[in-house]
Coordinates of all heavy atoms in Angstrom, one line a residue:
Chain A
L280 N 3.0 26.6 8.5 CA 2.9 25.2 8.3 C 4.0 24.7 7.4 O 4.4 25.4 6.5 CB 1.6 24.9 7.5 CG 0.3 25.1 8.3 CD1 -0.9 24.7 7.4 CD2 0.2 24.4 9.6
V281 N 4.6 23.6 7.8 CA 5.6 23.0 6.9 C 5.4 21.5 6.8 O 4.9 20.9 7.8 CB 7.0 23.3 7.5 CG1 7.2 22.8 8.9 CG2 8.2 22.8 6.6
G282 N 5.6 21.0 5.6 CA 5.3 19.6 5.4 C 6.0 19.0 4.2 O 6.8 19.7 3.6
Q283 N 5.7 17.8 3.9 CA 6.4 17.1 2.8 C 5.3 16.2 2.1 O 4.4 15.7 2.6 CB 7.5 16.2 3.4 CG 8.4 15.7 2.3 CD 9.6 14.9 2.9 OE1 9.4 13.9 3.6 NE2 10.8 15.4 2.7
T284 N 5.6 16.1 0.8 CA 4.8 15.2 -0.1 C 5.9 14.3 -0.7 O 7.0 14.7 -0.9 CB 4.0 15.9 -1.1 OG1 4.9 16.7 -1.9 CG2 2.9 16.7 -0.6
T285 N 5.4 13.1 -1.1 CA 6.4 12.1 -1.7 C 5.6 11.5 -3.0 O 4.5 11.8 -3.2 CB 6.8 11.0 -0.8 OG1 5.6 10.3 -0.3 CG2 7.6 11.5 0.4
G286 N 6.4 10.8 -3.7 CA 5.8 10.1 -4.9 C 6.2 10.9 -6.2 O 6.7 12.0 -6.1
L287 N 5.8 10.2 -7.3 CA 6.2 10.9 -8.6 C 5.5 12.2 -8.8 O 6.0 13.1 -9.5 CB 5.9 9.9 -9.8 CG 6.8 8.6 -9.8 CD1 6.2 7.6 -10.9 CD2 8.2 9.0 -10.1
D288 N 4.3 12.3 -8.2 CA 3.6 13.6 -8.3 C 3.7 14.5 -7.1 O 2.9 15.3 -6.8 CB 2.1 13.3 -8.6 CG 1.5 12.4 -7.5 OD1 2.3 11.9 -6.6 OD2 0.3 12.2 -7.4
A289 N 4.9 14.3 -6.4 CA 5.1 15.1 -5.2 C 5.0 16.6 -5.4 O 4.4 17.3 -4.6 CB 6.5 14.8 -4.6
N290 N 5.5 17.1 -6.5 CA 5.5 18.5 -6.7 C 4.1 19.0 -6.9 O 3.6 20.0 -6.3 CB 6.3 18.9 -8.0 CG 6.6 20.4 -8.1 OD1 7.1 21.0 -7.2 ND2 6.1 21.0 -9.1
E291 N 3.3 18.3 -7.7 CA 1.9 18.7 -8.0 C 1.1 18.7 -6.7 O 0.3 19.6 -6.5 CB 1.4 17.6 -9.0 CG 0.0 17.8 -9.4 CD -0.5 16.5 -10.2 OE1 0.4 15.8 -10.8 OE2 -1.6 16.1 -10.1
R292 N 1.4 17.7 -5.9 CA 0.6 17.6 -4.6 C 1.0 18.7 -3.6 O 0.2 19.2 -2.9 CB 0.8 16.2 -4.0 CG 0.1 15.1 -4.9 CD 0.5 13.7 -4.6 NE 0.2 13.4 -3.2 CZ 0.9 12.6 -2.4 NH1 2.0 12.0 -2.9 NH2 0.5 12.3 -1.2
A293 N 2.3 19.0 -3.6 CA 2.8 20.0 -2.7 C 2.2 21.4 -3.1 O 1.7 22.2 -2.3 CB 4.3 20.1 -2.7
E294 N 2.1 21.6 -4.4 CA 1.5 22.8 -5.0 C 0.0 22.9 -4.6 O -0.5 24.0 -4.3 CB 1.7 22.9 -6.5 CG 3.2 23.1 -6.9 CD 3.7 24.5 -6.7 OE1 3.0 25.4 -6.1 OE2 4.9 24.8 -7.0
A295 N -0.6 21.8 -4.7 CA -2.1 21.7 -4.4 C -2.3 22.0 -2.9 O -3.3 22.7 -2.6 CB -2.7 20.4 -4.8
I296 N -1.4 21.5 -2.1 CA -1.6 21.8 -0.7 C -1.3 23.2 -0.4 O -2.0 23.9 0.4 CB -0.6 20.8 0.1 CG1 -1.2 19.4 0.1 CG2 -0.5 21.3 1.6 CD1 -0.3 18.3 0.7
A297 N -0.3 23.8 -1.0 CA 0.0 25.2 -0.9 C -1.2 26.1 -1.3 O -1.5 27.1 -0.6 CB 1.3 25.6 -1.7
A298 N -1.8 25.6 -2.3 CA -3.0 26.4 -2.8 C -4.1 26.3 -1.7 O -4.8 27.3 -1.5 CB -3.5 25.8 -4.1
I299 N -4.3 25.2 -1.1 CA -5.3 25.1 0.0 C -4.9 26.0 1.1 O -5.8 26.7 1.7 CB -5.4 23.6 0.5 CG1 -5.9 22.7 -0.5 CG2 -6.2 23.5 1.8 CD1 -6.0 21.2 -0.1
C300 N -3.6 26.2 1.4 CA -3.2 27.1 2.4 C -3.6 28.5 2.0 O -4.1 29.3 2.8 CB -1.7 27.0 2.6 SG -1.2 25.5 3.4

Side-chain angles (χ1 to χ4, degrees):
Chain A
L280 292 183
V281 57
Q283 195 173 60
T284 53
T285 56
L287 290 173
D288 56 351
N290 193 59
E291 180 191 328
R292 292 164 63 213
E294 292 286 1
I296 289 172
I299 293 176
C300 290

